[in-house]
Amino acid sequence: SGFFQHGHTYLGHPVACATALAVLQVFSEEKVLDTVKDKSEFFFESLHQALGEHPHVGDIRGRGLFLGIELVQEKRKKEPFSPSKKLHSVIKATALRNGLMCYPMGGTIDGQLGDHVLLAPPLVISNQEIDQAVAIFTTSLNQAIRDTQAIQDS
């Protein structure tokens, strides 16, 4: 027919391959991956400064620019929040309203208990944007905890 089908998903079609090659060329030319280690350390330290002593943060861990924040009802015992609070969902909605996308998850201990949030910014994020993301997340976390406690108290 002469028709050139080039837009199939998951088939390694020419348009996807050309796009991937262009991305890899930019990564190489702009040395994007060379900066990730420094940005990762800055991000990790920023989160620890903002949330390391937070009464509801059990741990901050991860690798590269893929960092997770464990949320706990009681820090010393690492007691999880009640699943009925759906804290992870409240944080997601609150953070989005405040201008930050994050990846929350509940039931991470045993399928029922445990909340965490992943932050995974783009590799080209600046230190200023990291500061902004940490500030928005910290504000959103505090708002979400306040909101879930208000729901329980009502």
Side-chain angles (χ1 to χ4, degrees), residues 77-113:
K77 295 179 185 176
K78 291 206 176 182
E79 179 184 320
F81 281 94
S82 167
S84 66
K85 290 187 177 210
K86 297 185 181 179
L87 179 61
H88 61 283
S89 295
V90 177
I91 289 173
K92 178 182 180 179
T94 305
L96 193 55
R97 274 194 312 275
N98 291 335
L100 179 70
M101 292 181 68
C102 59
Y103 304 95
M105 189 65 183
T108 53
I109 294 173
D110 62 3
Q112 301 264 337
L113 297 171

